[in-house]
Amino acid sequence: MNYYLVGGAVRDKLLGYPFTERDWVVVGASPEQMLEAGFRPVGKDFPVFLHPQTGEEYALARTERKTAPGYGGFVFHTDSDITLEEDLRRRDLTINAMAEEPDGTLIDPYGGRDDLQQKLLRHVSDAFSEDPVRVLRVARFAARYHHLGFRVAPETMALMRSMVAAGEVAHLVAERVWKEMERALREASPDVFFLTLRECGALAVILPELEALFGVPQPPQHHPEIDCGLHALLSLTAARRLSDDSEVLLAALLHDLGKALTPADELPRHIAHEARSLPLVEQVCERLAIPKRHRELAIAVARDHTNCHRAFELKPATVLQLLQRLDVLRRPQKLQQFLLACTADARGRTGLEETPYPQAAYLQAACDCVAQVQPQALMAQGYEGAALGKALQQQRLQQLQELKLRYKDSTP
């Protein structure tokens, strides 16, 4: 029985990039031998075991055979005769197909170290084309290492295009798409994930609502970048500077989907694009099985980001309605997330990446004012039922009116 450190830990160790997980491959062992050594089985499709002390994953060396379209269409084979090189050959990228012996010796049969030095994301073999998830993984690695200068090798991009053309990407399972997308949103350059998918044609299959924004113009006086698709990615980039919360990042990305449906005779203006966006955001979230909390924030930002931008112009009653729609008294974190996404929208414009966004502080102050008005004090005065609700509303509106006056008086 021989075991080797493999995959991301080897890659990132050579790069000097931080990593937390370590995966191992075991060569020359059977499942029975692993159990006898105290390892705990966890794999369903192929034998994977947890180390009895460290809890790290140890997988038996394996090969695979394509039997059906999509991510799940594989038969895996494990045997004590399978070599380390055979196991590494089935991996996606050369930089992920390296191993390390217990003494630190590097095993690199497919040129992964050279590709690290050349900053290339290159597939190991033609077996890459059998698994459409690899298209998403390459795009995610491009997003992770873009700031280091990495790029997708031309031959790998060509292979990804052929996979899209062959319909492989259309067989991806929604949950797996979302898993890769959510991880990509938190990478250093999340916009590169979507640009890479767009370059190979996969974005039009996976996220056609976002693809449809590219080429749609906006008024240059408000959006110097003009293109709606570019604005969506700039907003995502701005959001990533502010947060690593995937709920905020997704909301920033999807907030303007309705602009793709603006009638041609109204362009470059986008009247009522907020209302047009809502069913599209719902459609994306439903199709990709995106969690409810992500969906709720994305809907809120798509619906009310314009109201947030115009916060100083809103009447107190409109501000209160906005806060009530966001359910800020029960869920104060949602307001913070909403304000981050709206700030990212304002800064997701060419040349305006550092623009101040005082609306966020104003709406946070409005939330604090509303929260100060509690029903207990009014109940002590004898209010109850409908009268209590009306009194709460009146006092909160009064607080918001006074806040608006304070902000007006403090403005030069």
Side-chain angles (χ1 to χ4, degrees), residues 329 365-375 377 395-396 399 406:
L329 295 183
C367 177
D368 296 340
C369 285
V370 168
Q372 288 174 10
V373 182
Q374 293 295 324
Q395 287 204 14
R396 286 169 175 168
Q399 290 280 345
R406 288 200 301 272

Side-chain angles (χ1 to χ4, degrees), residues 315-392:
K315 296 177 181 179
T318 308
V319 171
L320 184 57
Q321 290 169 5
L322 171 60
L323 296 176
Q324 289 171 335
R325 280 197 300 274
L326 294 172
D327 198 15
V328 297
L329 295 183
R330 291 195 307 151
R331 303 167 65 187
Q333 182 188 3
K334 188 175 180 183
L335 176 63
Q336 297 167 11
Q337 293 174 310
F338 173 81
L339 295 175
L340 284 172
C342 292
T343 302
D345 176 27
R347 293 178 179 172
R349 299 178 290 168
T350 301
L352 298 170
E353 294 84 358
E354 302 299 328
T355 188
Y357 195 69
Q359 295 94 324
Y362 177 67
L363 286 177
Q364 184 61 63
C367 177
D368 296 340
C369 285
V370 168
Q372 288 174 10
V373 182
Q374 293 295 324
Q376 292 81 0
L378 292 171
M379 291 167 67
Q381 298 175 34
Y383 286 97
E384 60 182 20
L388 174 61
K390 185 176 180 180
L392 272 173

Side-chain angles (χ1 to χ4, degrees), residues 64-332:
E64 59 191 29
R65 180 169 55 87
K66 182 77 167 176
T67 58
Y71 166 67
F74 291 92
V75 172
F76 297 96
H77 174 64
T78 59
D79 190 279
S80 58
D81 293 334
I82 294 174
T83 67
L84 177 64
E85 287 73 16
E86 288 175 318
D87 179 276
L88 295 176
R89 189 177 185 276
R90 67 171 182 77
R91 296 174 184 263
D92 50 8
L93 298 172
T94 60
I95 64 171
N96 296 329
M98 297 180 286
E100 188 181 277
E101 296 194 39
D103 64 2
T105 301
L106 183 70
I107 300 173
D108 181 20
Y110 304 108
R113 179 160 53 181
D114 287 344
D115 283 345
L116 277 181
Q117 292 172 349
Q118 296 181 54
K119 300 183 178 180
L120 274 180
L121 303 174
R122 183 169 60 87
H123 63 284
V124 177
S125 71
D126 288 343
F128 178 100
S129 64
E130 296 178 350
D131 185 356
V133 171
R134 291 175 171 178
V135 173
L136 300 175
R137 282 175 55 81
V138 170
R140 179 164 59 80
F141 283 120
R144 175 179 294 183
Y145 298 125
H146 175 74
H147 68 291
L148 299 179
F150 275 76
R151 66 192 188 282
V152 180
E155 62 268 32
T156 300
M157 180 57 71
L159 185 56
M160 290 162 63
R161 289 194 184 104
S162 70
M163 293 169 67
V164 175
E168 273 288 329
V169 172
H171 291 285
L172 282 168
V173 177
E175 289 79 5
R176 192 60 195 267
V177 174
W178 170 241
K179 180 180 178 180
E180 293 294 331
M181 186 184 298
E182 185 183 17
R183 294 180 69 181
L185 288 170
R186 297 195 300 265
E187 298 290 5
S189 306
D191 60 311
V192 174
F193 174 78
F194 299 98
L195 288 171
T196 303
L197 293 180
R198 188 163 191 257
E199 186 177 352
C200 71
L203 187 63
V205 179
I206 294 169
L207 204 51
E209 298 86 353
L210 180 61
E211 173 69 31
L213 288 176
F214 288 91
V216 178
Q218 301 177 99
Q221 65 270 31
H222 301 302
H223 286 275
E225 72 284 352
I226 299 176
D227 189 280
C228 288
L230 179 56
H231 169 60
L233 297 187
L234 288 172
S235 298
L236 174 59
T237 299
R240 187 62 186 85
R241 293 195 191 104
L242 296 168
S243 175
D244 64 356
D245 182 345
S246 62
E247 296 175 44
V248 173
L249 297 167
L250 181 71
L253 178 70
L254 302 183
H255 75 281
D256 269 350
L257 292 183
K259 289 183 176 179
L261 301 182
T262 299
D265 59 353
E266 293 182 13
L267 294 173
R269 300 177 67 201
H270 292 277
I271 301 167
H273 73 275
E274 300 87 354
R276 293 191 184 103
S277 294
L278 300 183
L280 294 178
V281 174
E282 290 277 13
Q283 180 175 294
V284 169
C285 294
E286 183 68 26
R287 187 178 68 250
L288 298 183
I290 293 174
K292 181 180 178 182
R293 65 184 189 276
H294 290 77
R295 183 182 314 210
E296 288 179 347
L297 184 65
I299 286 291
V301 173
R303 181 188 60 224
D304 279 314
H305 63 276
T306 303
N307 282 327
C308 189
H309 300 332
R310 296 173 178 168
F312 295 115
E313 305 167 25
L314 300 181
K315 296 177 181 179
T318 308
V319 171
L320 184 57
Q321 290 169 5
L322 171 60
L323 296 176
Q324 289 171 335
R325 280 197 300 274
L326 294 172
D327 198 15
V328 297
L329 295 183
R330 291 195 307 151
R331 303 167 65 187

Side-chain angles (χ1 to χ4, degrees), residues 3-20:
Y3 58 92
Y4 305 88
L5 184 67
V6 294
V10 179
R11 175 195 70 230
D12 288 340
K13 187 176 179 181
L14 290 172
L15 270 179
Y17 201 82
F19 64 92
T20 55

